[in-house]
Amino acid sequence: MLVKYKSGYKKIAMGLLSFIPGLKDVNRLEAEISWYQDDDSRVLYLWRNENGDFSGIVGVEVSDEIVVIRQIALSPSERSQIAYNQVLDEVAHQYPDCKMMGSLDVASIIAKWEHQNESKHE
């Protein structure tokens, strides 16, 4: 389940974002969270697994017809294509009228998700 970021989740969000290469420094993590908060077109979601634990984070940028997945990170115990697909399914559900695209870092995960969704609909 996706939960929109709020300031009470800051430590959790920083911990999950720290799984992304290049986001280890506390100042860099805080700047990243601020970047999402500074513009209404950018949203940071925390992802709860089936046990209700926060175990992932996804950052999106939304325009009229496109949702760009800027970042996605899962805790090490959740890193599987199945879990990534669950997160992306939920993002797609949040923005049903938008095409989903990814940053260079996320593009391969989205390509696998799209391939599996195409297979389901054939």
Side-chain angles (χ1 to χ4, degrees), residues 17-61:
L17 283 170
S18 73
F19 291 125
I20 298 171
L23 289 180
K24 306 292 183 210
D25 179 66
V26 171
N27 292 331
R28 179 71 179 102
L29 290 165
E30 288 179 342
E32 195 68 22
I33 289 172
S34 293
W35 185 80
Y36 281 99
Q37 292 179 305
D38 290 344
D39 189 323
D40 289 340
S41 70
R42 299 185 292 242
V43 185
L44 202 54
Y45 290 102
L46 283 82
W47 179 70
R48 289 185 190 262
N49 64 15
E50 63 277 353
N51 298 324
D53 299 325
F54 285 119
S55 54
I57 194 162
V58 59
V60 302
E61 191 167 1

Side-chain angles (χ1 to χ4, degrees), residues 6-117:
K6 54 187 173 188
S7 58
Y9 297 140
K10 186 173 184 177
K11 286 184 180 180
I12 296 166
M14 287 175 65
L16 291 167
L17 283 170
S18 73
F19 291 125
I20 298 171
L23 289 180
K24 306 292 183 210
D25 179 66
V26 171
N27 292 331
R28 179 71 179 102
L29 290 165
E30 288 179 342
E32 195 68 22
I33 289 172
S34 293
W35 185 80
Y36 281 99
Q37 292 179 305
D38 290 344
D39 189 323
D40 289 340
S41 70
R42 299 185 292 242
V43 185
L44 202 54
Y45 290 102
L46 283 82
W47 179 70
R48 289 185 190 262
N49 64 15
E50 63 277 353
N51 298 324
D53 299 325
F54 285 119
S55 54
I57 194 162
V58 59
V60 302
E61 191 167 1
V62 184
S63 64
D64 292 335
E65 299 175 7
I66 298 172
V67 174
V68 178
I69 307 296
R70 293 282 177 199
Q71 298 157 316
I72 187 169
L74 299 177
S75 62
S77 63
E78 294 287 344
R79 287 185 196 147
S80 70
Q81 191 61 44
I82 292 169
Y84 283 117
N85 289 350
Q86 289 173 346
V87 174
L88 294 173
D89 284 345
E90 292 180 31
V91 171
H93 184 72
Q94 287 283 340
Y95 303 98
D97 298 328
C98 293
K99 163 110 175 95
M100 195 160 6
M101 299 176 72
S103 65
L104 290 175
D105 296 333
V106 180
S108 64
I109 295 169
I110 291 179
K112 290 175 188 172
W113 172 78
E114 286 176 334
H115 179 72
Q116 289 189 329
N117 281 341

